[in-house]
Amino acid sequence: MANKTMEEKNTSALSPSRRAWMQRGLILSGAAMLATGAAPRAMAAAADTAWPTGPIRLVVPFPPGGSVDTVARTLGPQLATQLGQPVIIENRPGASSVMGAQHVKQSKPDGYTILLNASLQVANPVLLTTATYDALNDFVPITEIGAQPQLVVVRADGPYKTMADLVDDARKRPRHVTWAIAAFGAAGHLACALVNVQAQVDMPIIPYKGGGPALMDVMGGHVSAQIEPMASAYPHVQAGKLRALAVTSAQRLASLPDVPTVAESGFPGFDMPSWYGLWAPAGTARAIVDKLQAETAKALKVPAVAEKLAGISFIPMGTSPEDFAKYSASELEKYRDLINKAHIKADA
């Protein structure tokens, strides 16, 4: 009992509400699939029993190197093995993931083009005039893959050792200390905005076309700091290129026990994870959606996949389509409230 598994340690980093969502999703993942009616399901299954018969394009709306891409490249090969067809990772960056999302929205709803994106998939229509899709109705939710904490990182050889150092410098030199973000509307962006509001500092937020390019500029000293998911930030911390000032989860991480939470660093109640999901174009057959959800949930339990994800404090979920739809709707309202409070203006 004294030695918790990595999954148990990682799960403890989630807020009570996120743990509840995960537990509820695991409970409902089987039951919810029985609630759609026998006759329609039987017809859909008969029509799609042959799927898949060719390669599946897993669209990542960011360039290689970021957290979304990392999750996709961890999950994709295992899905290919289970489905018996190639799963091709297709990076389509641009407009804070909008270009990739729009591409999937307009794709044929046959199960051969699906989207893997982070939480900004539901935040974008609130923030971006270019996001002309309806986050809840223009896509079929397949599953919430999981969630992970984010790290506040700075250049390893820079002057900042703590969040207090960063904030104090920002107060002394308004608009000189800057944030890099993976994309406008990403979880990191909302976290940076929340720090600015709570600390009452003026740290300009600079959007990039993905977490990888943003991290490179932090390492190069061109931008002061970044809040980025563990998947893409942690390897650079391990390599000694970045310094982690704080973690955005409610509790400290087993992998970084000496790194305080943002809440401990002067921001009580701060809890801002990044979560990831799979979506298909609206109109995709339920039989295909069910199969994708089941195979994703299965893949997340494969030891090699689970071990790699645990190494970045990723909490796998694999929830049902119904549960993911409900969670997405609740997150949309949460983001809308935060955007209003932080006075984040829509970016054209």
Side-chain angles (χ1 to χ4, degrees):
M1 292 297 291
N3 295 321
K4 292 184 179 181
T5 65
M6 179 64 78
E7 182 176 347
E8 289 172 328
K9 290 178 180 178
N10 288 342
T11 304
S12 69
L14 292 177
S15 65
S17 62
R18 294 299 291 125
R19 289 198 296 272
W21 267 106
M22 184 180 76
Q23 292 163 356
R24 183 171 181 268
L26 292 174
I27 293 170
L28 295 179
S29 59
M33 289 190 294
L34 300 177
T36 56
R41 284 290 304 279
M43 290 188 290
D48 298 293
T49 50
W51 185 91
T53 59
I56 298 164
R57 292 186 301 150
L58 182 57
V59 175
V60 174
F62 292 101
S67 62
V68 179
D69 184 72
T70 298
V71 173
R73 294 183 188 278
T74 300
L75 190 61
Q78 182 59 39
L79 284 176
T81 298
Q82 293 173 196
L83 292 169
Q85 293 291 343
V87 174
I88 301 168
I89 309 298
E90 186 174 307
N91 295 92
R92 284 182 170 266
S96 296
S97 86
V98 170
M99 291 183 65
Q102 300 278 45
H103 172 76
V104 173
K105 171 190 169 182
Q106 296 165 1
S107 297
K108 188 176 179 180
D110 55 8
Y112 292 101
T113 303
I114 57 178
L115 175 71
L116 195 159
N117 203 0
S119 52
L120 81 172
Q121 172 71 8
V122 299
N124 273 343
V126 181
L127 280 169
L128 303 174
T129 57
T130 54
T132 57
Y133 62 83
D134 184 316
L136 303 182
N137 297 309
D138 286 340
F139 298 86
V140 177
I142 298 170
T143 186
E144 182 185 1
I145 300 169
Q148 65 175 325
Q150 302 185 89
L151 292 178
V152 183
V153 293
V154 296
R155 185 174 177 174
D157 58 357
Y160 308 122
K161 303 295 193 300
T162 66
M163 283 289 290
D165 293 339
L166 182 71
V167 170
D168 288 346
D169 193 25
R171 286 174 177 154
K172 293 174 183 176
R173 301 187 296 162
R175 301 196 64 79
H176 182 82
V177 181
T178 53
W179 291 113
I181 60 172
F184 197 91
H189 176 197
L190 299 181
C192 290
L194 190 55
V195 169
N196 282 1
V197 170
Q198 291 188 355
Q200 297 183 333
V201 294
D202 188 3
M203 289 178 62
I205 296 173
I206 304 170
Y208 284 76
K209 292 182 178 180
L215 288 166
M216 291 299 293
D217 267 11
V218 175
M219 287 184 277
H222 305 296
V223 189
S224 306
Q226 183 173 347
I227 300 181
E228 177 71 8
M230 283 281 291
S232 45
Y234 185 51
H236 299 295
V237 174
Q238 287 181 303
K241 296 179 181 179
L242 290 173
R243 176 184 295 132
L245 301 184
V247 60
T248 67
S249 53
Q251 287 83 35
R252 295 193 185 196
L253 303 178
S255 53
L256 291 169
D258 296 327
V259 176
T261 65
V262 176
E264 290 177 295
S265 304
F267 299 84
F270 196 102
D271 183 17
M272 183 68 71
S274 178
W275 57 265
Y276 304 80
L278 283 177
W279 290 266
T284 301
R286 181 58 196 251
I288 293 174
V289 172
D290 285 347
K291 188 167 186 178
L292 279 167
Q293 184 278 327
E295 294 299 332
T296 300
K298 179 181 176 181
L300 290 170
K301 296 178 182 178
V302 172
V305 174
E307 183 177 352
K308 187 170 183 179
L309 292 176
I312 54 173
S313 298
F314 190 95
I315 312 300
M317 294 185 185
T319 55
S320 71
E322 288 82 6
D323 206 39
F324 186 32
K326 292 176 183 177
Y327 180 64
S328 296
S330 71
E331 287 291 277
L332 176 59
E333 291 308 310
K334 183 180 80 173
Y335 295 144
R336 196 189 307 275
D337 183 61
L338 174 58
I339 289 163
N340 290 336
K341 287 181 179 178
H343 305 292
I344 302 173
K345 295 183 179 180
D347 179 66

